[in-house]
Amino acid sequence: MSAQQPDLEWWKTAVVYQIYPRSFQDTTGNGIGDLNGITERLPYLADTLGVDAIWISPFYPSPMADFGYDVSDYTDVNPLFGTLDDFDRLLSEAHRRDLKVIIDWVPNHTSDQHPWFITSRSSRANPKRDWYVWRDSKPDGELPNNWQSEFGGPAWTYDESTDQWYLHSFLAEQPDLNWRNPAVVAAMLDTVRFWLDRGVDGFRIDVAHYVMKDPALTDNPIAQDPGAMGTFKPMGPFNVWEHLHDRGHPDVHGIYRHLRAVLDEYDGDRFAIGEIHIFDWDEWALYYGDGDELHMPFNFSLIWAGWDAAAIRNRIGALEAAVPEHGWPNYVLGNHDEQRLATRYGPANAKAATTLLLTLRGQPTIYYGDELAMHQTDVPPDREQDPWGIRVPGLSRDGCRTPMQWAPDPGHGFTEASITPWLPFADDAMERNVETQLREAESPLSFVRRLLELRSARPSLNRGSIQLLNGLPDDVLGYDRSHSDERTTVLINYSSEPREVPIAAPCTVLASTHGHRADIETTTVIMAPHEAVVIEPAGD
Ligand code: GLC
């Protein structure tokens, strides 16, 4: 099943599956998923679904102000999720099944309960004071500058006992580390070594571009054209500002060269992908360095492209132009911060969206539950959990973090029937779940399984070049993937009307979102509304 082949680094051909650990599988009966739950579900991931790697969102000790993205110890497991022994078992069981394990690393900020911050906060004279970003008030008593927290309000919190402000690009409970202090760099790289020594295969780096800011803390200007951020999601008042100075300072590249050198000390192609929300392609591509920084910056460009053939085509073209020759592309259509794809694109388009994700050139990441076309759940206000949604109404991420739907029973295979999970199940979990979809040949899950098998079996799909096709109807996207003499063509109809699509030669149909399809004997494919097909020129 695995697409891994010895001649390329594993992460180039791997399909990654993101697990939000609170929501995957509860084995302790507290309504919250855990590491042993992930271990229990490895056969599903490796064999039933057939992915090659898992990325697990944070499971470190944390007060959970931001559900684990506020880390209070980088080198342990939160008892809520299990123990280090449980992690080691998960890792060895995953490796036994040829699954790679990527963990989340959160370098920009710690929890305010991390001993480093507690010490730093204790006095101005403490040697750890400079591990975080502390500043006096301006002479007029004002905040040090105008930077804003992504989660709303100023990025500074006043500490009364030492009469200074500390910087937090996110919640006040997430103080930013001062990466300009070499002791911080050394301590954080040690946390990376800790997990590399245990055998993890890679890291997803949380808000990787944030770690270096303008050292002069210059005010951000007001955005001239907030619409220019239209490539990204609406973020309320945060988008009033152009984020020129509070992230992405060029010194960030030195940090990632350092990190890469550490990864390269280890065997087995240890891997790093950075969460980088930068939509200037040239600036984005800098994170590849000369092949000496991150293996990849995450490419979020399709998430906010809309369901529009031309917009998606443009972004694929832009990405392909931006990735340096020594680099490798990647695509993602959902994660724990974004609206579920089945809701964003509409349920009728979910299978076609997955076809796009799994047939483009580069590493795809599937968000847990998207293989079932899980939709965004309306979480009632009294069950709301996400601090962002609580602070900025309308921006809650709870709806994409609801528990995985495994089975048509009251606990849905996620937890015990009598237990209330930490977030409610989606209202269609009784029908939309793994067990039910495995029985249905045309379910989203059965379709994804077939696509993954196809991708794994066809070098053109898992490593080939890509060429966007011209001369198709406006709302149809098409591309050829080629590797030596194998060719695969993908056509996606974004319209809710049928479309006639010209092709060069008759072809064999390898997959269709619309079930079995006879091979095409002519040079026209009549595509159903919302259909995606994967075809191979006959005789190839
Ligand atoms: C990233 C994470 C998000 C988190 C934020 C702060 O964007 O994906 O979930 O809230 O960083 O760590």
Side-chain angles (χ1 to χ4, degrees):
M1 189 62 79
S2 165
Q4 297 160 29
Q5 294 181 20
D7 53 338
L8 286 182
E9 295 94 324
W10 65 267
W11 50 268
K12 289 191 171 163
T13 52
V15 175
V16 181
Y17 184 94
Q18 183 193 353
I19 295 176
Y20 196 65
R22 293 181 80 85
S23 296
F24 201 57
Q25 179 65 59
D26 173 23
T27 61
T28 60
N30 64 355
I32 299 174
D34 43 60
L35 294 185
N36 286 340
I38 299 174
T39 308
E40 219 170 76
R41 294 297 185 180
L42 291 175
Y44 168 78
L45 296 164
D47 307 328
T48 310
L49 194 56
V51 295
D52 308 292
I54 54 175
W55 149 32
I56 313 173
S57 288
F59 49 77
Y60 307 108
S62 160
M64 296 286 171
D66 188 21
F67 295 103
Y69 285 97
D70 48 323
V71 178
S72 55
D73 182 351
Y74 288 94
T75 55
D76 206 348
V77 170
N78 192 323
L80 193 63
F81 296 126
T83 63
L84 269 176
D85 282 347
D86 294 335
F87 179 79
D88 289 341
R89 200 166 62 86
L90 160 55
L91 190 61
S92 67
E93 286 296 302
H95 285 167
R96 203 165 62 78
R97 294 182 158 81
D98 263 348
L99 272 178
K100 304 288 186 188
V101 177
I102 298 165
I103 64 172
D104 224 299
W105 185 56
V106 188
N108 179 64
H109 43 266
T110 68
S111 158
D112 63 344
Q113 299 307 308
H114 195 296
W116 297 342
F117 187 70
I118 294 175
T119 312
S120 177
R121 190 175 205 163
S122 65
S123 87
R124 287 194 185 203
N126 191 284
K128 284 222 166 56
R129 184 66 169 182
D130 187 50
W131 281 40
Y132 292 83
V133 185
W134 290 97
R135 285 295 183 280
D136 292 332
S137 310
K138 283 188 176 161
D140 58 3
E142 283 296 305
L143 278 67
N145 68 12
N146 72 355
W147 294 357
Q148 300 290 301
S149 148
E150 270 211 23
F151 291 159
W156 297 94
T157 287
Y158 181 65
D159 180 63
E160 229 176 80
S161 65
T162 56
D163 183 29
Q164 275 191 320
W165 302 79
Y166 67 87
L167 179 69
H168 52 88
S169 300
F170 294 85
L171 296 175
E173 293 87 345
Q174 295 168 296
D176 284 26
L177 281 163
N178 175 17
W179 275 83
R180 295 189 180 275
N181 182 332
V184 168
V185 178
M188 285 301 287
L189 291 180
D190 277 351
T191 70
V192 166
R193 287 197 178 87
F194 174 88
W195 294 100
L196 289 170
D197 288 339
R198 295 194 105 78
V200 303
D201 301 287
F203 298 90
R204 174 268 187 189
I205 306 172
D206 190 63
V207 287
H209 53 319
Y210 262 96
V211 301
M212 281 291 188
K213 301 107 170 96
D214 172 25
L217 304 184
T218 309
D219 275 351
N220 278 324
I222 290 198
Q224 291 300 309
D225 173 17
M229 291 290 288
T231 42
F232 188 37
K233 66 178 164 186
M235 289 179 56
F238 190 73
N239 280 4
V240 168
W241 306 95
E242 197 175 337
H243 295 277
L244 268 190
H245 302 299
D246 54 354
R247 58 190 187 192
H249 187 278
D251 291 345
V252 73
H253 298 290
I255 300 295
Y256 292 122
R257 280 195 290 275
H258 223 118
L259 173 73
R260 179 61 174 266
V262 172
L263 296 174
D264 288 349
E265 284 166 18
Y266 289 77
D267 60 4
D269 296 323
R270 311 295 175 103
F271 162 77
I273 182 166
E275 184 204 13
I276 288 166
H277 294 284
I278 290 177
F279 293 96
D280 176 288
W281 286 107
D282 293 337
E283 194 186 339
W284 174 85
L286 290 176
Y287 287 80
Y288 286 99
D290 293 325
D292 56 354
E293 292 191 33
L294 301 180
H295 296 84
M296 301 193 286
F298 245 123
N299 161 30
F300 299 108
S301 67
L302 292 192
I303 294 189
W304 291 93
W307 194 243
D308 177 285
I312 290 179
R313 182 192 167 95
N314 284 341
R315 292 192 186 187
I316 296 169
L319 181 270
E320 284 289 337
V323 174
E325 207 154 315
H326 58 78
W328 195 257
N330 68 85
Y331 289 93
V332 60
L333 290 181
N335 62 37
H336 64 293
D337 295 326
E338 307 294 352
Q339 196 181 45
R340 287 239 176 227
L341 72 82
T343 301
R344 199 163 0 105
Y345 301 138
N349 293 310
K351 280 190 198 171
T354 309
T355 309
L356 176 73
L357 176 67
L358 295 179
T359 58
L360 285 168
R361 184 174 89 91
Q363 183 194 82
T365 300
I366 303 176
Y367 184 48
Y368 87 92
D370 277 354
E371 72 271 34
L372 308 174
M374 269 173 72
H375 64 75
Q376 188 79 2
T377 298
D378 276 332
V379 174
D382 62 325
R383 304 260 336 245
E384 199 163 2
Q385 302 276 352
D386 180 18
W388 197 355
I390 292 168
R391 293 163 63 96
V392 189
L395 294 186
S396 178
R397 299 165 294 180
D398 287 338
C400 66
R401 297 175 174 181
T402 58
M404 180 66 175
Q405 299 156 199
W406 296 103
D409 62 43
H412 295 299
F414 168 72
T415 190
E416 292 162 22
S418 59
I419 299 297
T420 306
W422 78 286
L423 277 173
F425 288 109
D427 53 9
D428 62 352
M430 222 29 128
E431 305 85 53
R432 187 179 301 283
N433 54 69
V434 171
E435 222 178 279
T436 306
Q437 290 202 6
L438 282 177
R439 283 196 300 264
E440 296 165 358
E442 298 312 327
S443 67
L445 177 56
S446 298
F447 179 70
V448 173
R449 293 180 67 199
R450 287 200 294 277
L451 269 187
L452 285 170
E453 217 176 301
L454 202 59
R455 183 186 160 95
S456 163
R458 294 183 72 79
S460 55
L461 288 178
N462 66 48
R463 65 193 52 211
S465 61
I466 186 167
Q467 187 170 14
L468 290 161
L469 299 177
N470 297 316
L472 307 185
D474 283 351
D475 34 25
V476 174
L477 174 72
Y479 42 92
D480 273 345
R481 301 289 317 278
S482 315
H483 181 76
S484 53
D485 55 4
E486 182 189 89
R487 186 142 64 92
T488 308
T489 301
V490 179
L491 299 171
I492 302 175
N493 179 9
Y494 286 78
S495 163
S496 47
E497 305 288 328
R499 285 288 177 265
E500 285 190 17
V501 184
I503 48 172
C507 62
T508 309
V509 177
L510 303 172
S512 159
T513 48
H514 286 48
H516 176 75
R517 224 181 188 287
D519 290 343
I520 295 154
E521 313 276 348
T522 65
T523 52
T524 305
V525 187
I526 314 278
M527 296 190 71
H530 313 293
E531 185 178 10
V533 291
V534 183
I535 56 184
E536 170 181 43
D540 264 28

